[in-house]
Amino acid sequence: MPLIALGLNHSTAPVGLRELVAFDAEGGSAATRALAAQPGVREAAVLSTCNRTELYCNVEAGHEAGIAAWLAAHHGLGEQALQAYLYRHQDEAAVRHLFRVATGLDSLVLGEPQILGQVKQAWQAARGSGSLDSGLDRLFQHAFAVAKRVRTDTRIGAHPVSVAFAAVRLTQQVFAELDTATVLLVGAGDTIELAARHLAEHDTQRLLFANRTLAHAQALASRFGGFALPLAELTRHLPEADIVFSATASREPVIGIQAVRDALRERRHRPMLFMDLAVPRDVEPEVGRLDDVYLYTVDDLDHVVEEGRRSRREAAEEAEAIIELQVEHFMAWWRASDQHEVLKTLRQQAEAQRDTLLERAMAALAAGRPAQQVVEQLANALTNKLLHAPSSALRHAALRGDLDLVRSAQRLFDLESPLGRDADDTGHSP
């Protein structure tokens, strides 16, 4: 049964379309159950983030096309409207794709770690909805192991690739204990949000968010457990800050040298660190000349970011090699599991034939027929039932000259009589 990975992401679809096909956290489990209930779908999982929506399915052959149709219908879209933006991977390619997603190789920011947690959430939701069996469940768990190995064996996550990440990393070097520091974040754009996320991951206990639009500051404060204040109150709260991150769209500096002097005086000259991530700059350059002040700008971080990108690209090549090896390992298991299904079906058929004949034998005994006669008939009937299909196949194989099948049957059934030799000599099966 084919493994299918179908979806769209930041590289194939615009944000407007990604928003239309996204699944929220509450509706994800219900959607997974609905997908698993589609004809021919044996297993299903839905991965949905701000940058991607992907469906992973184990389907019966011939039902692959129904996955895209379901995605479009579920969101009230025409299937044709999605076709140009979708990618489809099957079997080995689907396995490789999930491994690359889980390790961050398919992310907008190469090697970013958040995606692994999102993949785990998708797996847990699918498990909770009862839409996973051994196939997809094993695939996702293998993906987690691959991601862990890539993190352990390569340096893909060792270097910053964004200004915000680089700034937080540098902040750690100046303030070793971020969890005891008070951090003031000025602005509410992507850079400040990303910096807040990294600070929260380091358990920074006190975050202050200042923005010209208070509602935006309140939104960030709510998300990361901080306190919001209007930009007009920045100067009053500046003395509280050990560290200041600033990234506004202002054309003029929002933090002047006199405000910093006053803050240092109130702090009794305890050091302050300023990370000015704005262009044009938010902090007056003269601030950097004050004692007890450390001031860094985007220019100070650019070379760190570029070194990080280069390092991650090199690490990505190592990660790809690990992934290729693990794809082979998983596919070997997957093919073996297909054989288990064949054996399971063979046993089920044999047991069904046995039960049918046993029921007839019990009925014959109940009708008073001699037990020895009933047992002999049962043994003969069961032998004929079990051997009919393989005997017929071997007879036709010999007539066609298909000696490979004949010899395979000899090995399969551990036959002492050389069927292949008889067929070679006579042209007929025994």
Side-chain angles (χ1 to χ4, degrees), residues 206-247:
R206 193 158 190 262
L207 299 175
L208 306 178
F209 294 90
N211 192 59
R212 200 175 305 278
T213 303
L214 182 58
H216 294 165
Q218 289 171 332
L220 289 175
S222 174
R223 189 177 311 168
F224 297 106
F227 302 90
L229 54 115
L231 194 61
E233 295 184 16
L234 174 63
T235 300
R236 184 160 67 88
H237 289 274
L238 193 58
E240 302 175 42
D242 302 305
I243 303 163
V244 178
F245 285 77
S246 191

Side-chain angles (χ1 to χ4, degrees), residues 252-281:
E252 301 293 334
V254 297
I255 300 176
I257 187 170
Q258 189 56 52
V260 177
R261 280 201 185 103
D262 294 342
L264 286 170
R265 188 179 305 111
E266 188 171 338
R267 290 171 57 84
R268 298 176 184 244
H269 290 274
R270 282 183 293 118
M272 298 180 72
L273 171 63
F274 289 85
M275 288 289 177
D276 188 352
L277 308 182
V279 179
R281 286 175 287 185

Side-chain angles (χ1 to χ4, degrees), residues 350-367 369 374 377-379 381-382:
E351 290 175 347
Q353 293 169 343
R354 176 203 64 195
D355 292 344
T356 299
L357 294 175
L358 183 59
E359 186 178 348
R360 292 179 186 174
M362 296 299 291
L365 288 173
R369 294 180 60 183
V374 171
Q377 288 179 343
L378 172 62
L382 186 58

